[in-house]
Amino acid sequence: MKFTDMDMLQDYEKDTRMAAIAYALVETEIIDPNLRKIMSKAAASAARSQKNFMELIIKKGDRP
């Protein structure tokens, strides 16, 4: 199977989307406020990365 650059971009975008969801979900289970902050930052960072790659994919003329 041969993957294109777009396949790789779309795969990474999907992975960052799933990471943002997972970090946000895990954050709701944490009691320690310091650890909650860390998970919140991780979720926000993954969401920013997902947004950047989504915009790049759309700019290239495809759908995420």
Side-chain angles (χ1 to χ4, degrees):
M1 179 177 259
K2 200 172 193 180
F3 292 106
T4 65
D5 290 342
M6 184 56 70
D7 292 329
M8 301 306 284
L9 286 173
Q10 289 170 328
D11 189 50
Y12 185 79
E13 184 275 335
K14 174 194 57 90
D15 290 344
T16 55
R17 186 173 357 113
M18 294 293 108
I21 292 167
Y23 289 139
L25 181 63
V26 168
E27 181 186 356
T28 66
E29 299 292 328
I30 296 172
I31 296 170
D32 182 82
N34 292 326
L35 187 53
R36 281 183 75 101
K37 285 181 187 176
I38 292 169
M39 294 309 287
S40 178
K41 287 179 183 178
S45 180
R48 276 192 307 277
S49 183
Q50 184 274 335
K51 181 179 179 271
N52 290 339
F53 275 83
M54 175 193 65
E55 290 171 349
L56 178 61
I57 291 167
I58 291 169
K59 189 175 178 180
K60 297 279 187 186
D62 212 333
R63 294 178 48 204

